[in-house]
């Protein structure tokens, strides 16, 4: 990533949003696939924790928040995952000004999950059990992916990033996220409902997106 790319990205964040329809062409990048060698998950997690309580960029921006964290952690932009795409087959719903638009893979939870696991091949998707609070294979900077709309229909609906672990045993992930803005929430806890996610959303499934 060049200095000009980072400067351009910072400018996008400051542009007011005109359309907010994101669920939770020619790209500027030329790579066909991402490389995990440039990603520092701890840097990504530090960015996510610092900015978790910032106002949303647009509407339901949980996935865009995670994408921004991965970008700041060094994940390479590609023709499939970037923040300035005119590809009509891969464009997200949030418009930034009149001329820039992130890809759907950067703004839609299920598409980002598939991109990281199946296309870029920088992560693995591991089913988790609500009854096992400890996730020993998890690392700071990994993602927690929730399939909770309509019980569990096979579509990832929400993403958050692991930004720490409970001090009690060191294996209970704490996540930071947007929509709603939360910092260091227990990964199984539905803070908005004041109960466990398993109880608040019966039938929901959850996965660890673990970076290689």
């Amino acid at each position: 990533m060049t200095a000009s790319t980072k400067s351009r990205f910072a400018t996008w964040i400051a542009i007011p949003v005109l359309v907010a329809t994101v669920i939770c062409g020619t790209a500027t990048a030329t790579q066909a696939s991402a490389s995990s060698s440039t990603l520092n998950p701890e840097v990504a997690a530090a960015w996510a924790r610092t900015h978790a309580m910032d106002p949303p960029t647009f509407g339901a921006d949980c996935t865009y928040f995670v994408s921004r964290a991965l970008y700041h952690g060094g994940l390479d932009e590609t023709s499939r995952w970037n923040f300035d795409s005119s590809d009509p087959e891969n464009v997200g719903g949030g418009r930034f000004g009149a001329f820039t638009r992130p890809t759907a893979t950067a703004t839609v939870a299920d598409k980002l999950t598939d991109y990281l696991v199946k296309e870029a091949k920088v992560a693995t998707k591991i089913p988790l059990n609500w009854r096992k609070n400890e996730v020993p294979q998890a690392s700071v900077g990994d993602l927690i992916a929730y399939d909770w709309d309509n019980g569990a229909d096979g579509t990832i609906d929400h993403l958050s990033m692991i930004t720490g672990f409970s001090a009690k045993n060191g294996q209970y992930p704490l996540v930071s996220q947007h929509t709603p803005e939360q910092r260091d929430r227990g990964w199984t806890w539905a803070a908005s409902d004041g109960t466990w996610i398993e109880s608040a959303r019966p039938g929901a499934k959850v996965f660890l997106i673990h970076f290689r």
Side-chain angles (χ1 to χ4, degrees):
M1 292 169 290
T2 65
S4 61
T5 301
K6 288 188 176 293
S7 175
R8 174 164 49 81
F9 181 72
T11 301
W12 300 336
I13 295 174
I15 296 174
V17 177
L18 301 183
V19 178
T21 58
V22 173
I23 297 175
C24 209
T26 300
T28 55
T30 58
Q31 303 99 322
S33 60
S35 169
S36 61
S37 63
T38 59
L39 175 65
N40 186 324
E42 292 187 357
V43 172
W47 187 93
R49 191 175 189 282
T50 297
H51 294 278
M53 306 311 292
D54 291 355
T57 305
F58 53 79
D61 74 335
C62 70
T63 304
Y64 185 65
F65 174 77
V66 166
S67 287
R68 289 166 64 193
L70 294 174
Y71 174 86
H72 283 280
L75 188 67
D76 295 331
E77 286 186 271
T78 70
S79 59
R80 290 285 297 149
W81 179 81
N82 64 79
F83 301 91
D84 185 10
S85 176
S86 58
D87 179 358
E89 300 300 320
N90 185 28
V91 160
R95 182 177 290 280
F96 295 71
F99 53 89
T100 59
R101 212 170 189 182
T103 58
T105 52
T107 57
V108 180
D110 195 60
K111 291 184 181 297
L112 177 57
T113 301
D114 279 351
Y115 171 76
L116 295 172
V117 175
K118 299 177 181 179
E119 294 187 51
K121 301 185 189 306
V122 297
T124 56
K125 182 179 178 182
I126 304 169
L128 298 179
N129 187 328
W130 293 117
R131 302 300 177 90
K132 295 181 179 180
N133 285 337
E134 293 75 22
V135 186
Q137 66 269 49
S139 301
V140 166
D142 285 348
L143 308 182
I144 300 291
Y146 300 90
D147 175 6
W148 57 25
D149 288 348
N150 305 312
D153 59 6
T155 299
I156 299 301
D157 303 298
H158 179 70
L159 291 173
S160 59
M161 178 170 282
I162 297 176
T163 50
F165 292 87
S166 168
K168 184 176 181 180
N169 59 25
Q171 293 187 342
Y172 179 71
L174 305 176
V175 298
S176 296
Q177 64 174 47
H178 263 193
T179 319
E181 297 79 69
Q182 294 173 347
R183 178 186 289 126
D184 291 341
R185 166 182 67 79
W187 73 277
T188 57
W189 181 249
S192 301
D193 298 302
T195 187
W196 303 108
I197 293 174
E198 183 183 23
S199 298
R201 297 176 180 269
K205 293 184 179 180
V206 62
F207 304 86
L208 174 70
I209 308 303
H210 179 62
F211 290 98
R212 301 178 190 277

